[in-house]
Amino acid sequence: APPAPERPDAGASTAPAAVPAARETAPQAAEVHFAAALDLLRRERYEDAAVAFTAMTRAYPDLAGPYLNLGIIHARTGNAAEAERALRAALERNPRSAVAYNLLGLLYRDAGRFDEARQAYEGALAVDASYADAHFNLAVLHDLYLQRPEQALVHYELYRRSGREEPMLERWIADLRQRVAERRGQAAGADGSAEGRP
């Protein structure tokens, strides 16, 4: 299977950037076609880029990169079902694409499919344990959607270690630490009071 595509430059909370060609063995013609399609995507000419990447999926059906970028195009243009299909096709061709797992997680979260989102982010981290975007998105999922502050705190702190900038991160971490401490204090109090009753 071809290696994973390069990570997008976009932050985890924004729409994903176009993903450059994977460092995979591909015919020279595929490289040329991919570069042209990628240029269309970067210029936000989504319809033209989709046509170009779709043509690549027919000409080079084993390459994951065209499917991954089709997933990005469909996500950006609001077609979640097609985005999911394209990202799943990318993962069939390259099951080590942390980017594809992360993007699937974003789609699932937006659709309210929180357990599937968690599994997708964890899939990204199984491929690349230091993938900052997946740590950030998993932290947000645990914090805001699953109400699991302990797990959110772990992933926000791992994201912070990546050195990526997020202006509110320190405030979120401080808030979570306080919530976790309060929750542990309440649990300890409940355990103590239960033991003291006859």
Side-chain angles (χ1 to χ4, degrees), residues 153-168:
L153 183 58
V154 167
H155 289 285
Y156 277 134
E157 288 178 338
L158 288 166
Y159 176 79
R160 179 173 59 183
R161 289 183 198 156
S162 75
R164 302 276 292 280
E165 294 293 322
E166 174 54 58
M168 299 295 291

Side-chain angles (χ1 to χ4, degrees), residues 12 84 87-88 91 97-126 131 133-146 148 155:
E84 181 179 352
L87 293 171
R88 288 197 168 281
L91 284 168
S97 176
V99 173
Y101 279 115
N102 187 58
L103 295 177
L104 270 176
L106 289 171
L107 287 175
Y108 293 150
R109 185 195 70 194
D110 290 346
R113 296 161 62 183
F114 302 135
D115 193 53
E116 290 171 277
R118 180 189 53 76
Q119 291 173 23
Y121 297 140
E122 289 173 353
L125 293 172
Y131 186 32
D133 289 352
H135 280 298
F136 182 85
N137 289 324
L138 191 52
V140 169
L141 183 72
H142 281 301
D143 186 10
L144 301 180
Y145 299 91
L146 300 177
R148 296 177 180 160
H155 289 285

